[in-house]
Amino acid sequence: MTGNNLFAQEQRTRLWRNGRMATLDPAKPGLGIVEKGAIVIENGRISYAGPESELPVSIIERAEITDLEGRWVTPGLVDCHTHIVHGGNRAQEFEMRLEGATYEEIARAGGGIVSSVKATNALSVEGLVQASLPRLDTLLSEGVTTIEVKSGYGLSIAGELKMLEAARGLGSARPVRVRTSYLGAHATPPEYKGRNTDYITDIVLPALDEAHEKGLVDAVDGFCEGIAFSTEEIGYVFDRAEALGLPVKLHAEQLSNLGGAELAADYGALSADHLEYLDDTGVAAMAAAGTVAVLLPGAFYAINETQKPPVKALRAAGVPIAIATDCNPGTSPLTSLLLTMNMSATLFGLTVEECIAGATREGARALGLLDETGTIEAGKSADLAIWDIESPAELVYRIGFNPLFARVFKGERIDR
Ligand code: DI6
Ligand code: FE
C-alpha cells in the first residue's frame, strides 16, 4: 500500500445505514433507540450517530456505504470483570462442591485460588496468552470489544507481573481493548498463611510499584472477604494505589459483609463487585461516591449462593449497575456475556434494559472508559455489535444462542 493509499485509507469515511440502533445514549430514554439510523465512522471513531434522515448530504456523497438491512446495532459489549488469564482449571473442585463441600471450606483447606496459582505460575507469559486466547475468542465471538483482565493468580512479584504482561499480550494478539486490574490482594500464598500484613508488605505493594512503573496497571482491585483480606488490609493496598494515582475497584460482600463496598466508596472506587451481602449503608456510600455496582451472576450460580444482591435498593439509590462474566476457574468458569445477561435477568431480576446497559455503557463506566466506549455516540470509538435479532430483548432472553452478525472494533469490521 503506497503512502497515498495509506493516507486515503485512514481518511476513508464509512457510512453504515438502515440500522436499528440501541445507542445506550444516557441522554435518551431506555436503550436510546433510533429506528432508521445511520452511523458515520472516520479514523476509527463515530463522527455521526442518529436518524438517517438527518445525515448531511455531503457525507452520503463521499462515504463508503454499507446497508445494515435493518439489523440491530448495539455498542460493542464490555466485559468489565474477568480473571480470564490463568492456568489450569478447577473441575476437580467442582466435583467436590457437587459432593457437598462449600467454596469457603475448599479455600480454607488450601484449595481454591491457591490451587490455580500453581497452574498459573507454571506457565510463561506466552503460555498464559495461549491458554487464555480460547476464552477470549469465545467472548469476542459474542460481540465483546472491551475486556477487563485481573492478575491475582501469581501471588508473587514475578507471578503477578507475568499475568499483567499476558493480559497486555491479549490486547496485542486480538482486536480488543484490554484494561488490566492488579489483584495481588486476591489470596495469601501458603508461605504467608496467617500473615496477611507481611504478604502485603513483602509482595503485594512492591509488585504493584513495579507493575505500575512498567505501565502494566490500569486499576487496583482486592478481595475483601473473611477468606481473603480485611478492610484494614485492603486499605494498605488502596493507600498505595492512591499514592500512585491509580483508580481502585473491589470484590466486596460476596460471601459476607465486611463493609468492603463502603471502603471502596470511601476511596472513590470505580466499582464494587459481587455485592450479594451488600447492606443499605454500603448502597448509600456507593451512591454518594458514584461507584458502579458490578453484579456477577455466574459466581452466584456456580457456587450455589442463595443471598441475592439488593437490586431494588441499588435502583432506588441510583447506583449504576454493570454485569460481567467474572470468568475465572473457581467460582465462575463462564465465557458468555450473553448468558450473563440472561442470568442477570432470571436470577437477579434485572430488566432487559438494565442487562444490555450493564454489558455496555455501565461496564464502560465501571472501567472509567465512558468517554471512549460503551455507547453509540459521536466522538467515541467505533465499537459496535451488529445482531440478527428482531428485538433487543432477544439478547437477554435466549440461553446459549449467539445471534451476532458482525463485530466492529475501532471502526474495523470483524466477522464472526
Ligand atoms: N471472588 C471470586 O469469585 C473469585 N475471586 C474472588 O475474589 C474466585 C477466584 C477463584 O476461586 O479462583
Ligand atoms: Fe472476580
Side-chain angles (χ1 to χ4, degrees), residues 289-328:
T291 298
V292 177
V294 178
L295 305 185
L296 304 167
F300 171 88
Y301 166 81
I303 64 172
N304 258 328
E305 179 55 70
T306 53
Q307 173 68 34
K308 298 188 178 184
V311 166
K312 287 194 176 72
L314 289 166
R315 269 192 201 121
V319 175
I321 297 174
I323 61 175
T325 60
D326 190 18
C327 178
N328 76 70

Side-chain angles (χ1 to χ4, degrees), residues 63-145:
E64 176 191 301
I65 298 176
T66 302
D67 184 344
L68 288 165
E69 298 168 332
R71 288 187 175 88
W72 278 96
V73 187
T74 67
L77 302 189
V78 177
D79 195 355
C80 69
H81 181 135
T82 89
H83 308 252
I84 201 168
V85 169
H86 59 263
N89 69 67
R90 304 241 293 279
Q92 175 255 341
E93 278 183 26
F94 173 70
E95 288 186 282
M96 289 166 69
R97 284 195 270 118
L98 291 177
E99 287 151 18
T102 68
Y103 178 76
E104 269 192 85
E105 286 162 353
I106 292 167
R108 291 190 191 283
I113 293 167
V114 170
S115 68
S116 286
V117 170
K118 289 189 190 76
T120 300
N121 285 338
L123 296 177
S124 64
V125 170
E126 184 54 25
L128 284 173
V129 170
Q130 291 307 317
S132 308
L133 280 175
R135 296 187 281 267
L136 177 61
D137 287 339
T138 303
L139 290 173
L140 300 187
S141 75
E142 288 190 349
V144 170
T145 52

Side-chain angles (χ1 to χ4, degrees), residues 158-393:
E160 288 297 306
L161 267 65
K162 185 171 69 173
M163 287 191 70
L164 294 167
E165 282 164 21
R168 289 277 192 250
L170 292 177
S172 307
R174 292 290 187 274
V176 64
R177 184 181 293 100
V178 172
R179 300 292 281 180
T180 63
S181 295
Y182 172 73
L183 181 58
H186 194 197
T188 302
E191 61 273 25
Y192 280 93
K193 193 169 176 61
R195 296 191 298 124
N196 281 9
T197 308
D198 290 343
Y199 168 60
I200 288 172
T201 306
D202 297 350
I203 306 294
V204 174
L205 297 182
L208 172 53
D209 289 342
E210 188 172 344
H212 175 60
E213 208 177 295
K214 292 181 173 172
L216 294 173
V217 185
D218 297 314
V220 176
D221 193 350
F223 187 17
C224 187
E225 193 57 67
I227 55 172
F229 297 91
S230 68
T231 49
E232 182 187 12
E233 291 157 352
I234 293 292
Y236 301 140
V237 182
F238 280 7
D239 285 343
R240 181 62 58 88
E242 209 166 54
L244 294 173
L246 290 169
V248 298
K249 49 180 61 248
L250 189 63
H251 289 66
E253 275 73 276
Q254 177 181 6
L255 308 172
S256 66
N257 186 327
L258 299 187
E262 202 178 344
L263 173 82
D266 289 348
Y267 279 86
L270 291 171
S271 71
D273 302 38
H274 284 289
L275 302 178
E276 280 82 344
Y277 289 83
L278 179 68
D279 60 14
D280 289 345
T281 307
V283 169
M286 289 176 69
T291 298
V292 177
V294 178
L295 305 185
L296 304 167
F300 171 88
Y301 166 81
I303 64 172
N304 258 328
E305 179 55 70
T306 53
Q307 173 68 34
K308 298 188 178 184
V311 166
K312 287 194 176 72
L314 289 166
R315 269 192 201 121
V319 175
I321 297 174
I323 61 175
T325 60
D326 190 18
C327 178
N328 76 70
T331 63
S332 190
L334 172 64
T335 49
S336 169
L337 203 45
L338 290 174
L339 179 53
T340 302
M341 286 199 251
N342 176 268
M343 287 177 159
S344 299
T346 302
L347 299 175
F348 290 169
L350 294 194
T351 65
V352 163
E353 179 192 328
E354 286 171 330
C355 290
I356 296 173
T360 52
R361 183 184 66 224
E362 302 314 325
R365 194 193 306 273
L367 297 177
L369 287 176
L370 195 50
D371 292 341
E372 184 64 12
T373 192
T375 66
I376 302 177
E377 291 179 84
K380 293 199 175 180
S381 178
D383 305 335
L384 308 169
I386 304 165
W387 306 95
D388 279 322
I389 54 176
E390 288 165 26
S391 76

